[in-house]
Each structure stands twice: as C-alpha cells, then as structure tokens.
C-alpha cells in the first residue's frame, strides 16, 4: 500500500511540475509553442492600456491655467517624451490652438504573464477664454498602442481617436473647477501562438475588434 501511495504521489508531483512548466512564459516561442499560455492579449493588458491611454490634459495659454497644468502634471502617468505647444491666433484674439505629443512606455513584471507596451499619443485642440476666467475648448486625440505579450508569443496593436470637450472656471488664483469629457473609437488587432501547434511552425491565431470609450472627469 505504501509503495502505491508513494507512486501516486510521485505521479502527482510530476504532473504538477509539468503543469507549471506549461505556463512558463520564458519558454514560449515558435520552437516550443506548448509553453505558451492559451489566452488572448487584452485579457491581461486591457486595464493598464486604459489607465495609460486616457486623455488627461488640455490646452491652456493663460498664466493661471499654466500654473494649474504644472500641478496636474505631477499626477500624470510616466511619460518618456512629451511636448506641447500653444499658439494664439493673434494678440487681440481670445482663441488659441495647441498641439501635444507624448510617448509612454510601460510593462508588467507579473511572472505568469509578462508584457511590455509603447504608446504614442498625438493631441490637437482649440480653446477660448471668456471674461478672463472661463475656458471652453475641444481636443482631438489620436493614439497608437503596440503591445508585446511574451506569455502567448504574440501582441496587440490598437489605433484610437478620441474627441474631448473641456471647460475650466478660474475661481481665483488658488481654486478652479475643471470638467472634461470624451468619446473615443478604437480598432484593435491581436495575435498569439496556438499552444497545440507543431514546434518550429506554429499556427498563429489572429483576431480583431472595435471598441468605444466614454469618459468624464471633474476636479
């Protein structure tokens, strides 16, 4: 009986180790497709993609808004490269046009599902001051996301456009009310290795989908 118990334990341990090995993302490759996870990319990357990609800025040219934008920048995501330019349409004209660009790079170190991503965001907007304390504007944002998901030997590409109106009320030098909203259209495509494929010549599973994004914020 003891021999049978030990044999069963040995078989169970071997099966457990085999199951763990089958989920080792470091070994996922075209040569060893059986080690790739059988899961889609956005199941893991979706939350971070949304957190990083959401528009969080708007064009302002008044000194009061410039100071507030500096405060907001402290709570923004990590941006590797960022640039923004504001141009008025003439000295007496209350309208202003602004352009912006940012590059975000982020990754996940979760052992079972590591991935890394690069996001390029382009922004253009126009806004106007009313009575020196009310700002009303409209921004258009274009984003391109490239994600490499090592755990399934694939990745995900997303292209999106968002239209975002915004409003600011400069109450005084210390306080303001900022409101913005947005609606976005996104096209995503992803691919991954089929774990049941033949080593060396794996079958690549592909899919694509459209998505819509709604957002609103007040501070």
């Amino acid at each position: 009986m003891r021999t049978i118990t030990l044999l069963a334990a040995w078989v169970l341990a071997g099966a457990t180790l085999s199951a763990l090995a089958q989920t080792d993302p470091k070994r996922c490759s075209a040569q060893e497709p059986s080690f790739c996870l059988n899961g889609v990319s956005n199941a893991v990357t979706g939350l971070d993609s949304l957190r990083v990609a959401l528009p969080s800025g708007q064009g302002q040219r008044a000194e009061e808004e410039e100071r507030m934008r500096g405060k907001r920048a402290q709570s923004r995501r990590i941006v590797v490269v960022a640039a923004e330019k504001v141009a008025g349409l003439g000295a007496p004209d209350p309208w202003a046009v602004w352009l912006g660009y940012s590059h975000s790079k982020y990754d996940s170190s979760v052992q079972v599902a590591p991935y890394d991503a690069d996001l390029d965001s382009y922004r253009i907007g126009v806004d106007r001051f009313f009575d020196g304390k009310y700002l009303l504007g409209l921004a258009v944002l274009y984003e391109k996301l490239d994600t490499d998901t090592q755990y399934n030997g694939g990745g995900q590409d997303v292209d999106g456009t968002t239209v975002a109106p915004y409003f600011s009320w400069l109450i005084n030098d210390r306080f303001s009310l900022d409101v913005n909203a947005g609606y976005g259209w996104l096209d995503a495509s992803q691919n991954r290795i089929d774990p049941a494929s033949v080593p060396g010549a794996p079958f690549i599973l592909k899919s694509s989908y459209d998505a819509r994004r709604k957002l609103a914020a007040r501070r």
Side-chain angles (χ1 to χ4, degrees), residues 33-52:
S34 62
F35 291 96
C36 301
L37 288 181
N38 191 19
V40 297
S41 300
N42 66 334
V44 175
T45 65
L47 182 60
D48 281 342
S49 298
L50 181 63
R51 175 180 58 82
V52 175

Side-chain angles (χ1 to χ4, degrees), residues 16 29 42 54 62 66 77-78 143 153 199:
T16 302
S29 66
N42 66 334
L54 281 177
E66 290 293 338
R77 60 186 178 274
I78 297 176
E143 63 190 73

Side-chain angles (χ1 to χ4, degrees), residues 89-100:
L89 301 182
D93 199 322
W95 291 93
V97 176
W98 56 271
L99 301 171

Side-chain angles (χ1 to χ4, degrees), residues 69-150:
R69 184 169 56 195
K71 295 179 181 178
R72 280 196 293 269
Q74 297 176 5
S75 62
R76 285 183 178 177
R77 60 186 178 274
I78 297 176
V79 177
V80 178
V81 180
E84 186 166 320
K85 185 175 182 180
V86 180
L89 301 182
D93 199 322
W95 291 93
V97 176
W98 56 271
L99 301 171
Y101 166 78
S102 65
H103 176 77
S104 301
K105 186 176 183 65
Y106 59 99
D107 57 53
S108 171
S109 58
V110 177
Q111 184 175 2
V112 70
Y115 68 88
D116 57 73
D118 290 276
L119 173 67
D120 291 291
S121 299
Y122 304 86
R123 303 179 291 273
I124 183 171
V126 58
D127 52 44
R128 174 177 176 170
F129 265 113
F130 296 88
D131 298 331
K133 60 179 180 179
Y134 301 108
L135 179 73
L136 183 63
L138 179 68
V140 177
L141 306 95
Y142 171 76
E143 63 190 73
K144 185 172 181 58
L145 175 66
D146 182 15
T147 307
D148 180 19
T149 50
Q150 298 94 334

